[in-house]
mmCIF file of all heavy atoms in Angstrom:
data_model
loop_
_atom_site.group_PDB
_atom_site.id
_atom_site.type_symbol
_atom_site.label_atom_id
_atom_site.label_comp_id
_atom_site.label_asym_id
_atom_site.label_seq_id
_atom_site.Cartn_x
_atom_site.Cartn_y
_atom_site.Cartn_z
ATOM 1 N N ILE A 185 95.777 73.613 86.460
ATOM 2 C CA ILE A 185 95.057 74.321 85.404
ATOM 3 C C ILE A 185 93.591 74.471 85.776
ATOM 4 O O ILE A 185 92.994 75.538 85.610
ATOM 5 C CB ILE A 185 95.194 73.567 84.067
ATOM 6 C CG1 ILE A 185 96.622 73.681 83.546
ATOM 7 C CG2 ILE A 185 94.227 74.122 83.020
ATOM 8 C CD1 ILE A 185 96.901 72.834 82.332
ATOM 9 N N SER A 186 93.006 73.399 86.295
ATOM 10 C CA SER A 186 91.591 73.439 86.697
ATOM 11 C C SER A 186 91.365 74.476 87.784
ATOM 12 O O SER A 186 90.409 75.253 87.734
ATOM 13 C CB SER A 186 91.153 72.058 87.179
ATOM 14 O OG SER A 186 89.820 72.093 87.648
ATOM 15 N N ASN A 187 92.286 74.493 88.780
ATOM 16 C CA ASN A 187 92.154 75.464 89.874
ATOM 17 C C ASN A 187 92.319 76.888 89.364
ATOM 18 O O ASN A 187 91.615 77.803 89.803
ATOM 19 C CB ASN A 187 93.193 75.178 90.960
ATOM 20 C CG ASN A 187 92.898 73.907 91.732
ATOM 21 O OD1 ASN A 187 91.742 73.469 91.793
ATOM 22 N ND2 ASN A 187 93.916 73.297 92.312
ATOM 23 N N ASP A 188 93.275 77.102 88.427
ATOM 24 C CA ASP A 188 93.489 78.433 87.869
ATOM 25 C C ASP A 188 92.267 78.917 87.100
ATOM 26 O O ASP A 188 91.886 80.087 87.172
ATOM 27 C CB ASP A 188 94.714 78.442 86.951
ATOM 28 C CG ASP A 188 96.016 78.365 87.725
ATOM 29 O OD1 ASP A 188 95.977 78.613 88.951
ATOM 30 O OD2 ASP A 188 97.052 78.059 87.120
ATOM 31 N N ILE A 189 91.657 77.995 86.342
ATOM 32 C CA ILE A 189 90.458 78.363 85.573
ATOM 33 C C ILE A 189 89.328 78.757 86.516
ATOM 34 O O ILE A 189 88.618 79.744 86.283
ATOM 35 C CB ILE A 189 90.031 77.197 84.657
ATOM 36 C CG1 ILE A 189 91.064 77.000 83.535
ATOM 37 C CG2 ILE A 189 88.650 77.466 84.056
ATOM 38 C CD1 ILE A 189 90.814 75.784 82.681
ATOM 39 N N LYS A 190 89.173 77.984 87.601
ATOM 40 C CA LYS A 190 88.131 78.307 88.579
ATOM 41 C C LYS A 190 88.399 79.663 89.220
ATOM 42 O O LYS A 190 87.479 80.454 89.437
ATOM 43 C CB LYS A 190 88.066 77.215 89.652
ATOM 44 C CG LYS A 190 87.520 75.886 89.174
ATOM 45 C CD LYS A 190 87.529 74.858 90.290
ATOM 46 C CE LYS A 190 87.009 73.507 89.802
ATOM 47 N NZ LYS A 190 87.070 72.479 90.864
ATOM 48 N N PHE A 191 89.690 79.926 89.538
ATOM 49 C CA PHE A 191 90.036 81.202 90.174
ATOM 50 C C PHE A 191 89.769 82.361 89.222
ATOM 51 O O PHE A 191 89.211 83.388 89.620
ATOM 52 C CB PHE A 191 91.507 81.189 90.603
ATOM 53 C CG PHE A 191 91.937 82.454 91.282
ATOM 54 C CD1 PHE A 191 91.531 82.738 92.583
ATOM 55 C CD2 PHE A 191 92.741 83.380 90.633
ATOM 56 C CE1 PHE A 191 91.916 83.916 93.219
ATOM 57 C CE2 PHE A 191 93.132 84.552 91.246
ATOM 58 C CZ PHE A 191 92.720 84.816 92.549
ATOM 59 N N GLU A 192 90.168 82.198 87.960
ATOM 60 C CA GLU A 192 89.926 83.248 86.971
ATOM 61 C C GLU A 192 88.436 83.525 86.814
ATOM 62 O O GLU A 192 88.022 84.671 86.657
ATOM 63 C CB GLU A 192 90.530 82.848 85.626
ATOM 64 C CG GLU A 192 92.051 82.907 85.597
ATOM 65 C CD GLU A 192 92.609 82.472 84.257
ATOM 66 O OE1 GLU A 192 91.842 81.914 83.445
ATOM 67 O OE2 GLU A 192 93.805 82.683 84.022
ATOM 68 N N SER A 193 87.639 82.460 86.896
ATOM 69 C CA SER A 193 86.190 82.624 86.787
ATOM 70 C C SER A 193 85.647 83.420 87.975
ATOM 71 O O SER A 193 84.781 84.287 87.816
ATOM 72 C CB SER A 193 85.515 81.250 86.713
ATOM 73 O OG SER A 193 84.115 81.373 86.701
ATOM 74 N N LYS A 194 86.189 83.139 89.167
ATOM 75 C CA LYS A 194 85.756 83.873 90.359
ATOM 76 C C LYS A 194 86.146 85.344 90.257
ATOM 77 O O LYS A 194 85.387 86.229 90.651
ATOM 78 C CB LYS A 194 86.377 83.247 91.614
ATOM 79 C CG LYS A 194 85.800 81.895 91.998
ATOM 80 C CD LYS A 194 86.444 81.374 93.274
ATOM 81 C CE LYS A 194 85.847 80.038 93.686
ATOM 82 N NZ LYS A 194 86.482 79.513 94.915
ATOM 83 N N VAL A 195 87.370 85.601 89.739
ATOM 84 C CA VAL A 195 87.818 86.988 89.578
ATOM 85 C C VAL A 195 86.918 87.724 88.594
ATOM 86 O O VAL A 195 86.520 88.872 88.829
ATOM 87 C CB VAL A 195 89.284 87.035 89.112
ATOM 88 C CG1 VAL A 195 89.684 88.467 88.735
ATOM 89 C CG2 VAL A 195 90.218 86.519 90.200
ATOM 90 N N ASP A 196 86.575 87.078 87.491
ATOM 91 C CA ASP A 196 85.686 87.697 86.503
ATOM 92 C C ASP A 196 84.330 88.035 87.111
ATOM 93 O O ASP A 196 83.768 89.111 86.866
ATOM 94 C CB ASP A 196 85.490 86.762 85.303
ATOM 95 C CG ASP A 196 86.695 86.735 84.379
ATOM 96 O OD1 ASP A 196 87.481 87.698 84.427
ATOM 97 O OD2 ASP A 196 86.861 85.758 83.639
ATOM 98 N N THR A 197 83.803 87.105 87.917
ATOM 99 C CA THR A 197 82.509 87.347 88.578
ATOM 100 C C THR A 197 82.607 88.535 89.524
ATOM 101 O O THR A 197 81.707 89.381 89.573
ATOM 102 C CB THR A 197 82.063 86.102 89.352
ATOM 103 O OG1 THR A 197 81.931 85.002 88.445
ATOM 104 C CG2 THR A 197 80.734 86.337 90.055
ATOM 105 N N LEU A 198 83.713 88.598 90.259
ATOM 106 C CA LEU A 198 83.930 89.719 91.175
ATOM 107 C C LEU A 198 84.005 91.037 90.416
ATOM 108 O O LEU A 198 83.372 92.028 90.791
ATOM 109 C CB LEU A 198 85.211 89.507 91.967
ATOM 110 C CG LEU A 198 85.692 90.714 92.777
ATOM 111 C CD1 LEU A 198 84.766 90.963 93.956
ATOM 112 C CD2 LEU A 198 87.111 90.543 93.242
ATOM 113 N N LEU A 199 84.782 91.066 89.345
ATOM 114 C CA LEU A 199 84.946 92.297 88.564
ATOM 115 C C LEU A 199 83.621 92.745 87.966
ATOM 116 O O LEU A 199 83.357 93.945 87.856
ATOM 117 C CB LEU A 199 85.979 92.082 87.455
ATOM 118 C CG LEU A 199 87.416 91.799 87.927
ATOM 119 C CD1 LEU A 199 88.311 91.485 86.732
ATOM 120 C CD2 LEU A 199 87.974 92.964 88.726
ATOM 121 N N ASP A 200 82.780 91.797 87.601
ATOM 122 C CA ASP A 200 81.456 92.137 87.069
ATOM 123 C C ASP A 200 80.583 92.815 88.125
ATOM 124 O O ASP A 200 79.671 93.578 87.793
ATOM 125 C CB ASP A 200 80.740 90.880 86.558
ATOM 126 C CG ASP A 200 81.360 90.338 85.276
ATOM 127 O OD1 ASP A 200 82.050 91.107 84.585
ATOM 128 O OD2 ASP A 200 81.165 89.146 84.982
ATOM 129 N N SER A 201 80.862 92.513 89.414
ATOM 130 C CA SER A 201 80.020 93.050 90.491
ATOM 131 C C SER A 201 80.402 94.466 90.906
ATOM 132 O O SER A 201 79.659 95.127 91.630
ATOM 133 C CB SER A 201 80.097 92.133 91.716
ATOM 134 O OG SER A 201 81.356 92.255 92.375
ATOM 135 N N ILE A 202 81.581 94.942 90.478
ATOM 136 C CA ILE A 202 82.010 96.294 90.826
ATOM 137 C C ILE A 202 81.189 97.308 90.041
ATOM 138 O O ILE A 202 80.927 97.139 88.847
ATOM 139 C CB ILE A 202 83.505 96.497 90.521
ATOM 140 C CG1 ILE A 202 84.354 95.457 91.267
ATOM 141 C CG2 ILE A 202 83.942 97.907 90.885
ATOM 142 C CD1 ILE A 202 84.286 95.566 92.771
ATOM 143 N N LYS A 203 80.775 98.387 90.700
ATOM 144 C CA LYS A 203 79.994 99.431 90.043
ATOM 145 C C LYS A 203 80.943 100.452 89.427
ATOM 146 O O LYS A 203 81.237 101.508 90.004
ATOM 147 C CB LYS A 203 79.041 100.098 91.045
ATOM 148 C CG LYS A 203 77.935 99.162 91.543
ATOM 149 C CD LYS A 203 77.003 99.883 92.490
ATOM 150 C CE LYS A 203 75.907 98.965 92.999
ATOM 151 N NZ LYS A 203 75.012 99.639 93.975
ATOM 152 N N TRP A 204 81.449 100.131 88.245
ATOM 153 C CA TRP A 204 82.346 101.041 87.542
ATOM 154 C C TRP A 204 81.565 102.278 87.078
ATOM 155 O O TRP A 204 80.387 102.189 86.774
ATOM 156 C CB TRP A 204 82.957 100.329 86.335
ATOM 157 C CG TRP A 204 83.588 99.001 86.657
ATOM 158 C CD1 TRP A 204 83.079 97.762 86.396
ATOM 159 C CD2 TRP A 204 84.835 98.783 87.329
ATOM 160 N NE1 TRP A 204 83.930 96.785 86.841
ATOM 161 C CE2 TRP A 204 85.021 97.375 87.432
ATOM 162 C CE3 TRP A 204 85.821 99.627 87.851
ATOM 163 C CZ2 TRP A 204 86.137 96.805 88.020
ATOM 164 C CZ3 TRP A 204 86.937 99.054 88.449
ATOM 165 C CH2 TRP A 204 87.089 97.665 88.522
ATOM 166 N N ASP A 205 82.228 103.427 87.026
ATOM 167 C CA ASP A 205 81.539 104.628 86.565
ATOM 168 C C ASP A 205 81.406 104.593 85.040
ATOM 169 O O ASP A 205 81.752 103.592 84.393
ATOM 170 C CB ASP A 205 82.249 105.898 87.047
ATOM 171 C CG ASP A 205 83.634 106.081 86.437
ATOM 172 O OD1 ASP A 205 83.949 105.398 85.438
ATOM 173 O OD2 ASP A 205 84.400 106.924 86.935
ATOM 174 N N ASP A 206 80.903 105.689 84.468
ATOM 175 C CA ASP A 206 80.642 105.687 83.024
ATOM 176 C C ASP A 206 81.913 105.612 82.187
ATOM 177 O O ASP A 206 81.871 105.379 80.977
ATOM 178 C CB ASP A 206 79.819 106.923 82.627
ATOM 179 C CG ASP A 206 80.492 108.231 83.035
ATOM 180 O OD1 ASP A 206 81.577 108.176 83.654
ATOM 181 O OD2 ASP A 206 79.940 109.283 82.736
ATOM 182 N N LYS A 207 83.082 105.791 82.841
ATOM 183 C CA LYS A 207 84.356 105.640 82.145
ATOM 184 C C LYS A 207 85.031 104.307 82.476
ATOM 185 O O LYS A 207 86.190 104.085 82.090
ATOM 186 C CB LYS A 207 85.293 106.798 82.508
ATOM 187 C CG LYS A 207 84.780 108.163 82.054
ATOM 188 C CD LYS A 207 85.751 109.261 82.438
ATOM 189 C CE LYS A 207 85.231 110.631 81.985
ATOM 190 N NZ LYS A 207 86.149 111.725 82.389
ATOM 191 N N GLY A 208 84.298 103.453 83.217
ATOM 192 C CA GLY A 208 84.852 102.152 83.582
ATOM 193 C C GLY A 208 85.857 102.202 84.715
ATOM 194 O O GLY A 208 86.709 101.318 84.831
#
Side-chain angles (χ1 to χ4, degrees):
I185 290 173
S186 176
N187 290 336
D188 287 344
I189 291 173
K190 290 178 181 177
F191 181 74
E192 288 179 348
S193 176
K194 288 182 179 179
V195 171
D196 284 339
T197 300
L198 169 71
L199 295 175
D200 289 339
S201 73
I202 303 296
K203 293 182 180 178
W204 308 104
D205 66 15
D206 57 358
K207 296 180 180 178

